[in-house]
Amino acid sequence: TKAGGSRDRDHLGAGRCRPSKIGASRRPPPARVRVAVRLRPFVDATVGASDTPCVRGMDSCSLEIANWRNHQETLKYQFDAFYGERSTQQDIYAGSVQPILRHLLEGQNASVLAYGPTGAGKTHTMLGSPEQPGVIPRALMDLLQLTREEGAEGRPWALSVTMSYLEIYQEKVLDLLDSTSGDLVIREDCRGNILIPGLTQKPITSFADFERHFLPASRNRTVGATRLNQRSSRSHAVLLVKVDQRERLAPFRQREGKLYLIDLAGSEDNRRTGNKGLRLKESGAINASLFVLGKVVDALNQGLPRVPYRDSKLTRLLQDSLGGSAHSILIANIAPERHFYLDTVSALNFAARTKEVINRPFTNESLQPHVLGPVKLSQKELLGPPEAKRARGPEEEEIGSLEPMAASASASQKLSPLQKLSSMDPAMLERLLSLDRLLASQGSQGAPLLSTPKRERMVLMKTVEEKDLEIERLKMKQKELEAKVLAQKAEDSKEKENHCPTILRPLLHRTVTVAKPLKKAVVMPLQLIQEQAASPNAEIHILKNKGRKRKLESLDAPEPEEKAEDCWELQISPELLAHGRQKILDLLNEGSARDLRSLQRIGPKKAQLIVGWRELHGRFSQVEDLERVEGITGKQMESFLKANILGLAAGQRCGPS
Ligand code: ADP
Ligand code: MG
């Protein structure tokens, strides 16, 4: 009831600031997110018999998957753990989840996230069935048992457990234990703990308690979703279990450990599912939370300085439970069926830290050892029909020419599934091409795409088509961004009217003049003057521009600021120049829209454009790539560099170098 609810809410959101967690400062550096992959078995026996898997395990940490781009290769992925199709719920739980639970009693946070395309086994892994209970029931059982023991009378700490259950759908946070609640906000208290004021929290002391709250909410979610099956596959179901500890004797410390158990939205690319094509679905297609989650995991695991938690609801919620002293495991679920192939590859790429290309064809030898024995394929078999066709020349190639392979059922069973992929329909080809580009943009190398002449023709046609779509997409994106910018401008100008009647220029631009008429004026940002006085070897010079000679020689009156910029030219030491460029480049690649606005001449609109460009095209390889971002021309580039390198150089010189 609500009476309970209000008490519940109090200890969630009242901004109570606990003493910092015990021993936090002595902890080792941030833990990375562990990644496990689980391959489920064929679920439909009839399909299983006729379908050949395109992925298989190699050992307890790695697996290989056919490389559709090159029949001669497989891709090997390495993870913290790999669970094959025969693994049990207990294997996954004991291997990857149970070990992190004890940290909750140390006041640390933990999270378990099931990732993967719809139908690959996320819900099976997290929830399971009464016969095969998954991670959630197992973790709850153990945790409740653990807290009962540790919190028993006579032990130093009193323990209590509460649960909340929420859903993130289209970047809205919804309370699944209170269907009347609207979108909830995520806050951070002064200790960096993330909390959701207003979220229902139910105390639980037994597993029956847990089921009483969880099952109806869970059922509601699925029942509500059957009408709109997309919803359950596009929303993240987040179960939060909190363990509160209070010391029974002085100094009466308190600790809190949070465990997030998350059944993520399906990772399949919704833009390309269905038959309406790219355009219609574009805006609603990318699940922001899933997209940012990938970036966050990447940043944590690579130790990048900026982790973009704030860029989505899910990652913001998990901010204190991913990285830091938290313990997190991402379980990527994949399916063996060939029609999952693309989603499997993209799920593996999402989850993988390392991947290598192995030069051998993917065969089914290890999967059917008794039926076929180790299959050794001849070179001709390995190359398959496309290779044979190449010998015949392009003119003879027609779609029907792939038939010989399909005709021989037993041969095709021995052959790589990739050869079957080669007779794919155009929609499939389109997806492969997009995937190929994506992989290329992520820096993976491989054999050139589809190298036979007929395919090349198709590729070209597809490329043109795709380019058109890309243009459409960019246009839409630009419109969206422009709308945002307009809104932002309106807001900004309102604020300005209210607060600052005169526009303040950065200090840098107001320090152009010096007292004496010199041929060569050494000018520096205001904040540098004292430093410079001690070291006369100024590295930043601003020289006169010849065209403005006369004016500048009489420096009695200071130049208006805008003009001053035109009439000075920079001479910066090459070292500083390189440093400045690198700094700008880093900012372009890592900075948020807000960070980007710290650059001179980058307003909100350009910042958004840069972020948008980056999302579409990947990293900037040099500062000049900015010219490819709409709204930044070659001319502006020059002054952009001047202004920013000077600014950054100033920052550097002021720093503790
Ligand atoms: P998702 O939640 O990723 O969409 P599900 O968990 O609903 O996928 O799994 C799809 C189907 O596959 C379900 O019928 C489920 O019971 C079955 N399944 C998934 N994983 C396994 C597994 N490891 N063993 C047996 N059946 C599984
Ligand atoms: Mg599911």
Side-chain angles (χ1 to χ4, degrees):
T1 64
K2 286 296 157 191
S6 71
R7 198 190 56 230
D8 295 339
R9 280 158 200 207
D10 178 52
H11 75 274
L12 235 194
R16 189 185 72 197
C17 290
R18 278 177 296 280
S20 62
K21 285 175 183 162
I22 298 124
S25 56
R26 276 179 282 117
R27 288 213 186 95
R32 60 180 186 81
V33 177
R34 310 201 137 257
V35 179
V37 169
R38 182 182 198 182
L39 171 63
R40 73 153 164 72
F42 283 99
V43 279
D44 182 349
T46 53
V47 173
S50 63
D51 202 354
T52 46
C54 54
V55 55
R56 65 161 166 250
M58 298 178 82
D59 55 47
S60 65
C61 290
S62 58
L63 60 86
E64 67 177 340
I65 184 164
N67 182 2
W68 74 274
R69 299 153 89 234
N70 186 338
H71 300 187
Q72 299 297 301
E73 295 172 354
T74 65
L75 301 171
K76 178 186 175 186
Y77 289 83
Q78 188 113 34
F79 299 97
D80 295 298
F82 170 72
Y83 299 98
E85 61 245 85
R86 293 204 194 99
S87 57
T88 62
Q89 300 281 60
Q90 173 64 14
D91 292 339
I92 282 96
Y93 177 68
S96 291
V97 179
Q98 200 172 30
I100 64 178
L101 295 183
R102 64 187 168 79
H103 296 295
L104 291 164
L105 298 194
E106 294 160 9
Q108 295 176 12
N109 297 340
S111 53
V112 181
L113 303 100
Y115 179 88
T118 301
K122 296 181 298 295
T123 307
H124 181 78
T125 296
M126 294 310 289
L127 206 52
S129 57
E131 304 76 45
Q132 299 180 54
V135 163
I136 287 176
R138 284 168 200 269
L140 261 295
M141 286 271 196
D142 277 0
L143 205 56
L144 287 162
Q145 170 79 20
L146 204 61
T147 50
R148 260 197 303 274
E149 287 168 12
E150 291 293 318
E153 287 297 330
R155 308 276 302 172
W157 297 82
L159 273 77
S160 62
V161 181
T162 59
M163 64 169 284
S164 304
Y165 191 28
L166 61 96
E167 177 182 54
I168 299 178
Y169 181 61
Q170 293 187 339
E171 292 301 279
K172 288 196 181 76
V173 178
L174 306 166
D175 190 343
L176 288 171
L177 297 181
D178 174 8
S179 54
T180 61
S181 88
D183 184 14
L184 300 169
V185 286
I186 302 172
R187 294 240 158 81
E188 181 175 354
D189 73 12
C190 52
R191 296 261 173 226
N193 297 311
I194 300 292
L195 39 98
I196 301 182
L199 179 69
T200 311
Q201 271 202 135
K202 299 286 187 189
I204 49 173
T205 54
S206 66
F207 192 73
D209 274 351
F210 164 71
E211 283 191 316
R212 193 154 47 84
H213 301 306
F214 182 76
L215 291 183
S218 206
R219 221 175 287 133
N220 279 347
R221 178 171 182 263
T222 19
V223 169
T226 37
R227 192 171 46 90
L228 257 211
N229 188 32
Q230 290 185 340
R231 176 163 175 138
S232 77
S233 65
R234 288 190 188 191
S235 72
H236 312 284
V238 180
L239 174 65
L240 164 60
V241 182
K242 265 185 5 183
V243 180
D244 260 300
Q245 285 181 278
R246 284 151 199 268
E247 203 171 21
R248 290 199 163 103
L249 298 169
F252 304 108
R253 287 169 299 174
Q254 295 179 12
R255 289 177 186 167
E256 177 189 282
K258 290 193 285 192
L259 171 65
Y260 284 102
L261 299 165
I262 303 177
D263 188 344
L264 289 168
S267 64
E268 65 275 8
D269 188 344
N270 290 311
R271 279 173 301 180
R272 294 188 189 83
T273 53
N275 49 17
K276 292 271 168 63
L278 288 178
R279 259 168 291 187
L280 287 179
K281 309 221 170 156
E282 182 59 34
S283 49
I286 299 168
N287 189 312
S289 282
L290 215 49
F291 177 68
V292 178
L293 177 66
K295 297 211 278 192
V296 164
V297 170
D298 233 35
L300 288 171
N301 287 357
Q302 289 181 41
L304 298 182
R306 182 180 176 270
V307 183
Y309 291 113
R310 285 170 176 267
D311 294 359
S312 81
K313 289 287 166 65
L314 178 73
T315 51
R316 177 71 169 141
L317 181 65
L318 294 180
Q319 182 163 350
D320 59 0
S321 306
L322 277 179
S325 60
H327 306 266
S328 326
I329 171 104
L330 180 89
I331 304 173
N333 292 84
I334 56 172
E337 290 89 1
R338 274 187 294 122
H339 66 268
F340 273 94
Y341 178 80
L342 294 169
D343 291 322
T344 301
V345 172
S346 82
L348 291 173
N349 284 334
F350 176 94
R353 282 179 301 128
T354 60
K355 173 175 83 179
E356 63 183 292
V357 173
I358 301 183
N359 284 315
R360 62 177 164 135
F362 188 95
T363 66
N364 297 317
E365 49 193 277
S366 64
L367 294 160
Q368 299 167 324
H370 306 299
V371 185
L372 294 170
V375 180
K376 293 266 191 302
L377 297 177
S378 71
Q379 186 66 9
K380 198 174 162 196
E381 279 176 311
L382 294 178
L383 295 174
E387 214 40 38
K389 270 182 281 150
R390 207 173 295 158
R392 266 184 277 142
E395 298 321 313
E396 293 167 51
E397 287 169 16
E398 283 312 326
I399 293 172
S401 65
L402 288 169
E403 271 170 17
M405 188 190 80
S408 156
S410 67
S412 77
Q413 215 173 6
K414 280 191 244 170
L415 293 173
S416 156
L418 297 172
Q419 287 153 338
K420 293 184 185 170
L421 284 173
S422 67
S423 57
M424 66 194 68
D425 65 41
M428 186 75 157
L429 184 68
E430 181 175 307
R431 296 189 65 189
L432 284 171
L433 289 168
S434 319
L435 186 73
D436 195 55
R437 268 196 307 282
L438 186 75
L439 290 174
S441 76
Q442 287 173 354
S444 37
Q445 328 101 334
L449 176 76
L450 305 177
S451 50
T452 65
K454 190 196 93 195
R455 285 179 179 172
E456 270 166 24
R457 287 201 303 272
M458 285 177 77
V459 169
L460 280 174
M461 277 159 53
K462 286 287 165 194
T463 312
V464 171
E465 235 178 88
E466 293 265 342
K467 281 271 182 301
D468 288 347
L469 288 174
E470 171 106 347
I471 291 168
E472 284 290 328
R473 202 158 57 201
L474 284 169
K475 276 184 187 162
M476 275 175 56
K477 186 127 196 166
Q478 193 190 349
K479 267 186 202 151
E480 240 175 71
L481 292 173
E482 277 172 4
K484 261 193 205 162
V485 168
L486 280 179
Q488 178 76 35
K489 261 189 189 158
E491 242 185 10
D492 282 359
S493 62
K494 244 192 242 163
E495 260 175 39
K496 264 178 206 156
E497 273 169 25
N498 290 345
H499 304 298
C500 41
T502 55
I503 298 165
L504 292 178
R505 295 245 163 198
L507 283 179
L508 233 47
H509 297 274
R510 293 196 283 148
T511 56
V512 178
T513 54
V514 286
K516 287 181 189 171
L518 294 173
K519 280 254 159 101
K520 180 177 175 179
V522 180
V523 183
M524 64 212 99
L526 202 55
Q527 65 265 47
L528 290 187
I529 287 180
Q530 289 184 332
E531 204 180 311
Q532 292 280 307
S535 92
N537 301 326
E539 286 176 44
I540 306 164
H541 300 286
I542 298 181
L543 300 180
K544 287 187 310 185
N545 183 320
K546 287 137 210 127
R548 296 288 195 122
K549 204 169 204 162
R550 231 179 341 133
K551 248 193 178 170
L552 292 174
E553 271 168 0
S554 63
L555 284 169
D556 304 337
E559 283 286 305
E561 289 157 23
E562 293 84 348
K563 286 185 184 168
E565 247 155 47
D566 296 331
C567 57
W568 300 103
E569 70 185 44
L570 276 183
Q571 206 183 58
I572 300 176
S573 81
E575 193 193 17
L576 267 183
L577 189 71
H579 176 83
R581 275 175 162 278
Q582 187 56 47
K583 274 196 142 170
I584 296 173
L585 189 61
D586 289 347
L587 209 55
L588 289 177
N589 281 320
E590 318 291 350
S592 63
R594 184 193 293 223
D595 297 339
L596 287 164
R597 285 171 64 183
S598 69
L599 287 168
Q600 303 286 331
R601 289 161 205 250
I602 299 291
K605 182 177 172 187
K606 275 185 197 144
Q608 285 292 350
L609 281 171
I610 290 168
V611 171
W613 190 91
R614 202 166 62 195
E615 275 169 19
L616 281 169
H617 302 278
R619 297 176 67 83
F620 290 87
S621 58
Q622 51 171 350
V623 179
E624 277 73 13
D625 285 351
L626 254 188
E627 288 176 16
R628 290 154 66 188
V629 177
E630 204 151 348
I632 296 176
T633 64
K635 225 175 163 189
Q636 288 171 321
M637 188 69 218
E638 207 175 301
S639 60
F640 168 81
L641 272 173
K642 274 185 197 174
N644 281 297
I645 288 178
L646 186 61
L648 286 166
Q652 182 204 22
R653 294 180 56 83
C654 288
S657 62

